[in-house]
Structure formats: structure tokens, C-alpha cells
Amino acid sequence: MNSVYLLLVVAHVLLFAYWLGADWGVYVTSRYVADSRLSLEERRRFLQAAFRIDLLPRISFTMLLPVGVQIAAYYGAWPFPAAFVPAVWVFAIAWMILNVMGSLRAGTPAGDRIRGLDQNIRLVLAPLLVGAGLWSVATGYPVAPLFIALKVTVFGIMIIVGLVLRAIMKNWAIGFRRLATEGPSAAIDAIFQGSLERARYVAYCMWSLSGVMAVLGVVKPA
């Protein structure tokens, strides 16, 4: 059991690192997408690059859930039936596959439908995690260890922050449509720059929350 636990911890750290590092790559690439000095085709190429880079954080983020739940199971954190942990794994793997399919079909009607389904999953999962985490912090049930209850809460908040970021970046689709039909203009540049400016602060929030998650995992407040 110790060797399995160690492998899970290593996997947890690696997923965390791959998610955070690739997310920074998406952020850097997005600055070129919003650069009005570049041609429409160049900006589209940077957008496609951002989509490709974004696949890794999507995979890593979805798989953090089952790995984290499996690690928590070693702490006896779940007063649920034995099938709970395997069910989380099945759900997370299906969710990951959905994200991969959505990324591969980005820009198509099928891709839009998949992204919509993924968003609905997040809309359900985020309040569920935050609610369960906060209730556990207050009552010690259903998650007894305080640091795990806090991590569940923060993970749910991170999903919410990600949804906010998606809502902001939807403006880029509008900007590209107008750029293709109307040509460059100050008004269109404002759409890209305004979205990027708002997204910057949301990204800072996300990275700060990831730091909180790391501290909770190391310090393990009781």
C-alpha cells in the first residue's frame, strides 16, 4: 500500500506541475492572439497553438480529481460505499476523454457541443465540491480531515474561476468574426485587449489558488 500511495503522490505532483506549466504557456500565447500588430492569419495560428497547449492542462486538471480522491481514501476521508472511488475514476476518465475530443474538434459544431457539455459538468461539479468542502470544514462530515475538506473547497473554487475565464474569453470569438468581416479597427482591438486584461486578473487568482492547494497538501492543517 505504501508504494501505491507513493506513486499516487508522485502522479498528483506531476499532474499539478503539468497543469500549471502548460496553463502559463496558454497565457503567454494569448498575448499574441490579442496583438493587433499581427495579421489575422498569424493571430489565428497563435490561437490554434493556444488550443493545442491547453489540452495538457485540461487533461491534468480532470485527472487531479480521481488521484486526489484516491489519496484521500488512504486517509479514510470518505464515509461512502466502496464503489465511490472507482466511480470517481470512471467519471474522471470519461470527462478527460470528453475534453480531448472537444480540443481535437475545436472550431467545429461538434466541438462546440462537446465544450457545452463539459461546461455543464463543471457547472454541476463546482458547487457540489464547494458545498461539500465547506460543510465538511464546518461539521467534519462527510470529509473528516480538515486539510482535505479545504482542498475539496479550493478545487471547486478553481473550477468556478475557470468558468469565469471561459466566459471572458468568449469575446475573442466575437472579435475574430468581426475582424474577418470588418477588418482591423480600434473597436475590435478593444475587444481583444479588454478581454485579455480581465483574463489576466482571473489567471492570477487561479494561480494563487493553486498555491493554496500546494500549501494545504504540504502543511496538512488538522
Side-chain angles (χ1 to χ4, degrees):
M1 186 173 72
N2 290 335
S3 60
V4 174
Y5 176 78
L6 180 60
L7 287 173
L8 286 168
V9 171
V10 171
H12 195 63
V13 172
L14 288 175
L15 287 169
F16 196 80
Y18 289 149
W19 166 71
L20 189 59
D23 200 56
W24 172 255
V26 174
Y27 173 75
V28 171
T29 305
S30 67
R31 298 176 66 87
Y32 295 99
V33 178
D35 192 343
S36 60
R37 295 170 297 180
L38 301 178
S39 69
L40 175 59
E41 288 306 313
E42 286 178 304
R43 293 167 77 170
R44 280 179 170 163
R45 280 196 291 271
F46 277 113
L47 182 63
Q48 289 302 315
F51 281 146
R52 291 178 181 274
I53 297 170
D54 189 48
L55 180 58
L56 184 56
R58 283 176 176 272
I59 292 173
S60 300
F61 193 78
T62 54
M63 295 311 293
L64 276 169
L65 179 63
V67 172
V69 166
Q70 188 74 64
I71 291 173
Y74 282 102
Y75 284 89
W78 310 111
F80 301 119
F84 174 73
V85 174
V88 171
W89 275 100
V90 171
F91 163 76
I93 290 171
W95 188 22
M96 179 196 69
I97 293 172
L98 189 73
N99 274 273
V100 172
M101 292 173 59
S103 178
L104 294 176
R105 290 166 172 77
T108 68
D112 292 340
R113 288 193 296 271
I114 292 172
R115 288 177 69 85
L117 179 57
D118 172 60
Q119 179 158 313
N120 289 335
I121 291 172
R122 293 170 189 262
L123 286 170
V124 172
L125 189 59
L128 185 64
L129 290 173
V130 173
L134 290 176
W135 184 261
S136 298
V137 169
T139 67
Y141 181 87
V143 182
L146 177 61
F147 81 96
I148 295 178
L150 289 171
K151 289 187 74 172
V152 169
T153 306
V154 174
F155 191 77
I157 295 172
M158 290 172 73
I159 294 176
I160 295 172
V161 172
L163 288 170
V164 172
L165 186 58
R166 286 188 180 191
I168 292 172
M169 302 314 292
K170 279 184 178 179
N171 290 328
W172 279 18
I174 298 172
F176 271 109
R177 284 197 297 269
R178 290 186 58 182
L179 194 60
T181 57
E182 303 172 20
S185 70
I188 296 175
D189 289 343
I191 293 175
F192 284 100
Q193 292 298 331
S195 297
L196 184 63
E197 186 66 24
R198 292 191 298 274
R200 176 182 296 116
Y201 296 107
V202 177
Y204 292 161
C205 179
M206 180 71 86
W207 298 333
S208 298
L209 289 169
S210 69
V212 172
M213 288 277 281
V215 171
L216 289 171
V218 173
V219 177
K220 295 180 176 61

